[in-house]
Amino acid sequence: MNKLLSEMRFTEEHEWVRQEGSTPHVTVGITDYAQDSLGDIVFVELPEVGSQVVEKDSIGAIESVKAVSDVYCPASGTVTEVNTELESTPEVVNTSPLEDGWLFKMELADVSSLDTLLTEKEYKDYLHGLE
Amino acid sequence: MKFLVKLLSFLTLGPHSNYLCMLGCYTHCRMGVKANIVTRRKYLTTGRAFSNTSVDNIIKGIVYHSASTDVFHNLAFEDWVYNNLDLTHSDVLLLWCNSPCVVVGRHQNPWAECNHRVVEGSKVKVARRRSGGGTVYHDRGNLNCSFFTSRERYNRQKNLKTIISGVKRRWPLVDLEATCRDDIMLNKDFKISGSASRLGRDIAYHHCTLLHSCNKDMLLEVLNVKSNGITHKATASVPSPVKNLGDMDARVYHESLIQTIADQFYTEREPLGKPVIYDVDPSDAQIWPGVHSYREELQSWKWVYGKTPPFSIQRGDDTLSVLIHVSQGNISGVIVRYVSDEILINSIQQLCASLKGSRFCTRTHTTNNAVWRFAKPTKVYSENYEVYSEL
């Protein structure tokens, strides 16, 4: 788990981004803080494969028993794959938000955009500020 | 007595905000009707920029009342507020009602949630909202309250308390209580309000219904869905017995209710402008630029039906069954299983091919039955064939 977190970048919208090596291909999901805040997840709405997405745009939604929450795009690029398992088992996002509960994969338009995202420490500091 | 007053204020940003909401209005005042508390209503027409001099930490508020009873106009207006306003220092309460319609939650299956045989050909519209939750029937006896706040101030129980406090202050004998599921119960047994929400990065809204004089017979008929062979993973509604507030006290109706709730809302916030209800025309693209595009999307078949999560529907018996798979509202596959001495594979396949890619609708049920009648054996021989025709 520590190794996973240290490889990731984060957003203030509580999304994580994990880069594959040094390629422009990344995996995106929501953090443990996010899934805990949402409550029991009953539906995950994901972007279409092949769609061009823009940083900070709303590109999907997660419905829990409490509300529908918009999912925001952490960086601009193209969606290459979505986690189709979530169609039948959306609760995986609650139980394994950093691994099996990944949402989608994308190819970044600009790899350097990852540098603007929060590191693990910066995200933890951000969470402390919210308390 | 009419008079025009130029009102310059509206929701703007604090010094560090990125958006500017351009709104002011020429107003038209009139006295509230049959109200113990006189509340002037103002009509929002055109806009102008204005600088809000709000004091830090004091949250301002404004109450809108939609002049439209078109569900798509009203849902589009919710979208407009959600996507355009900065509510760092202000809350917005939107009060609205619709002509008869069924509104399903964002990830629900409209065919599974309402009786389409009743709805089709009637004036009851079918809409899908952006928030989640279950299916509701709307008519003019059902008041909708949408509480827009910053993401940080999002608080459903607080909003329900606003409604309950307002109602109880004016009609003390009405027994209302909010539940942990964010429903409002009348006399502990009857649900008169259900809630749903949408949460964004900086803004959120909680909207809820409030039954005061709804046509309960129509409600039950429209939401009565018999077992129809649908298998799905969409969000399911949780049915509850309902009652109208107006059943408890005939003085509770649309006008008195909106004034009561607005008055309570303004006691909890500093009014942004006057502590009155502002009538708004949600279809006016001059005041709300881009609202038409939201309405177009919300009214489209692609949103209302095409957004439905994948599902299947099956009809059949021991000799013949027809299973239809539906994805994004379109028929993606048909499986026919039948036991017959006659091999009708080609004919069945042709019939199924004509269905694939077409929109699923209630008439497909009829087509489903047509396949059933077409393939039903008319003679029984000693040998039976099991044949599968699949696309």
Side-chain angles (χ1 to χ4, degrees):
Chain A
M1 187 62 67
N2 286 336
K3 184 173 187 302
L4 277 174
L5 287 172
S6 64
E7 289 172 350
M8 291 172 168
R9 291 283 186 147
F10 301 85
T11 69
E12 291 184 358
E13 287 78 36
H14 308 290
E15 284 130 12
W16 55 262
V17 182
R18 185 165 56 232
Q19 187 182 15
E20 292 175 25
S22 52
T23 72
H25 294 275
V26 298
T27 306
V28 180
I30 64 168
T31 65
D32 185 59
Y33 177 91
Q35 69 78 19
D36 187 59
S37 306
L38 289 170
D40 292 341
I41 292 169
V42 297
F43 205 91
V44 179
E45 187 183 313
L46 298 168
E48 278 188 28
V49 173
S51 56
Q52 303 291 316
V53 292
V54 176
E55 182 186 348
K56 294 198 186 300
D57 273 3
S58 170
I59 54 162
I62 294 180
E63 180 173 354
S64 67
V65 292
K66 295 179 186 176
V68 162
S69 299
D70 286 314
V71 174
Y72 294 95
C73 188
S76 300
T78 307
V79 177
T80 55
E81 191 181 343
V82 297
N83 188 347
T84 53
E85 291 298 315
L86 301 182
E87 188 181 298
S88 52
T89 52
E91 61 273 13
V92 170
V93 181
N94 287 122
T95 56
S96 180
L98 303 182
E99 295 182 71
D100 298 334
W102 63 275
L103 298 182
F104 63 93
K105 299 188 180 187
M106 62 184 288
E107 182 176 354
L108 297 175
D110 179 4
V111 178
S112 66
S113 60
L114 286 176
D115 299 334
T116 63
L117 302 181
L118 305 175
T119 62
E120 181 195 354
K121 183 185 182 309
E122 288 168 341
Y123 179 63
K124 282 183 176 169
D125 291 342
Y126 173 67
L127 287 182
H128 284 140
L130 293 177
E131 288 166 7
Chain B
M1 183 177 188
K2 292 183 185 182
F3 65 91
L4 291 177
V5 175
K6 191 173 176 182
L7 180 67
L8 295 181
S9 79
F10 204 69
L11 299 166
T12 70
L13 317 179
H16 304 294
S17 302
N18 297 322
Y19 295 92
L20 183 64
C21 175
M22 321 269 281
L23 265 183
C25 67
Y26 291 95
T27 64
H28 165 186
C29 291
R30 65 178 173 88
M31 306 302 281
V33 176
K34 293 184 187 176
N36 293 330
I37 302 166
V38 171
T39 308
R40 292 178 304 165
R41 302 260 292 262
K42 302 196 176 211
Y43 196 84
L44 234 62
T45 54
T46 59
R48 245 178 75 166
F50 168 72
S51 175
N52 187 345
T53 55
S54 66
V55 177
D56 281 349
N57 298 325
I58 295 181
I59 301 302
K60 294 195 170 227
I62 188 165
V63 180
Y64 286 154
H65 174 258
S66 173
S68 172
T69 56
D70 176 82
V71 61
F72 301 111
H73 276 314
N74 288 321
L75 290 175
F77 188 66
E78 281 191 324
D79 276 0
W80 192 94
V81 173
Y82 182 82
N83 290 316
N84 287 281
L85 293 190
D86 183 315
L87 297 183
T88 308
H89 303 292
S90 310
D91 294 343
V92 172
L93 170 59
L94 172 67
L95 302 169
W96 47 295
C97 69
N98 299 315
S99 298
C101 62
V102 175
V103 184
V104 301
R106 185 181 182 126
H107 301 119
Q108 291 202 295
N109 183 325
W111 292 288
E113 293 294 334
C114 73
N115 192 328
H116 268 67
R117 295 190 192 283
V118 169
V119 164
E120 277 182 19
S122 75
K123 290 184 181 174
V124 179
K125 296 177 185 174
V126 179
R128 179 187 297 274
R129 59 180 184 270
R130 303 285 195 192
S131 60
T135 298
V136 284
Y137 171 76
H138 287 188
D139 65 17
R140 298 201 190 192
N142 191 348
L143 173 66
N144 293 289
C145 306
S146 301
F147 294 84
F148 293 88
T149 64
S150 69
R151 183 69 177 83
E152 285 74 32
R153 290 197 307 279
Y154 167 75
N155 187 327
R156 297 191 345 175
Q157 283 288 320
K158 180 185 172 190
N159 300 333
L160 297 180
K161 194 176 169 192
T162 298
I163 293 172
I164 293 172
S165 298
V167 170
K168 279 187 170 172
R169 195 174 66 176
R170 191 157 176 189
W171 301 287
L173 297 182
V174 175
D175 175 16
L176 293 182
E177 205 174 301
T179 69
C180 58
R181 284 191 67 236
D182 298 326
D183 297 330
I184 296 180
M185 305 300 286
L186 174 64
N187 294 348
K188 295 184 178 40
D189 287 329
F190 299 97
K191 178 176 169 179
I192 62 158
S193 172
S195 288
S197 300
R198 186 175 179 194
L199 309 179
R201 180 190 294 118
D202 303 311
I203 192 172
Y205 66 78
H206 158 223
H207 53 195
C208 58
T209 52
L210 201 55
L211 296 176
H212 57 86
S213 44
C214 171
N215 183 336
K216 285 182 289 183
D217 291 336
M218 194 61 183
L219 182 155
L220 291 173
E221 195 177 347
V222 167
L223 299 183
N224 177 25
V225 183
K226 294 184 176 51
S227 170
N228 51 19
I230 290 182
T231 306
H232 66 95
K233 291 190 169 65
T235 316
S237 295
V238 179
S240 307
V242 296
K243 205 175 185 72
N244 281 313
L245 271 173
D247 294 342
M248 307 311 298
D249 192 323
R251 294 171 298 172
V252 182
Y253 51 90
H254 182 82
E255 280 287 337
S256 62
L257 206 47
I258 64 171
Q259 284 163 0
T260 295
I261 294 172
D263 288 336
Q264 183 65 32
F265 182 85
Y266 281 126
T267 64
E268 298 165 357
R269 295 158 185 83
E270 183 179 322
L272 184 66
K274 302 286 184 186
V276 299
I277 300 173
Y278 288 86
D279 277 330
V280 296
D281 176 2
S283 66
D284 193 332
Q286 282 196 327
I287 309 178
W288 329 104
V291 73
H292 283 171
S293 66
Y294 295 134
R295 187 185 188 278
E296 262 179 46
E297 187 190 353
L298 286 161
Q299 196 183 9
S300 68
W301 186 93
K302 187 178 173 186
W303 173 260
V304 177
Y305 291 104
K307 194 77 176 166
T308 306
F311 69 97
S312 304
I313 180 166
Q314 181 163 7
R315 290 276 192 278
D317 59 24
D318 292 338
T319 56
L320 170 70
S321 71
V322 180
L323 174 66
I324 294 181
H325 295 302
V326 182
S327 177
Q328 296 185 326
N330 295 312
I331 295 174
S332 57
V334 182
I335 299 177
V336 176
R337 176 182 174 278
Y338 66 101
V339 177
S340 170
D341 58 309
E342 299 175 69
I343 305 300
L344 301 168
I345 294 178
N346 287 338
S347 303
I348 295 287
Q349 284 184 335
Q350 280 170 17
L351 183 60
C352 293
S354 70
L355 290 174
K356 189 179 178 185
S358 59
R359 287 181 176 178
F360 181 81
C361 61
T362 310
R363 283 189 291 280
T364 307
H365 295 186
T366 307
T367 308
N368 198 330
N369 289 332
V371 173
W372 189 87
R373 285 195 300 274
F374 180 81
K376 190 178 169 80
T378 54
K379 292 183 182 178
V380 178
Y381 291 98
S382 59
E383 287 185 280
N384 289 325
Y385 295 91
E386 282 199 359
V387 181
Y388 294 86
S389 174
E390 179 173 347
L391 290 174

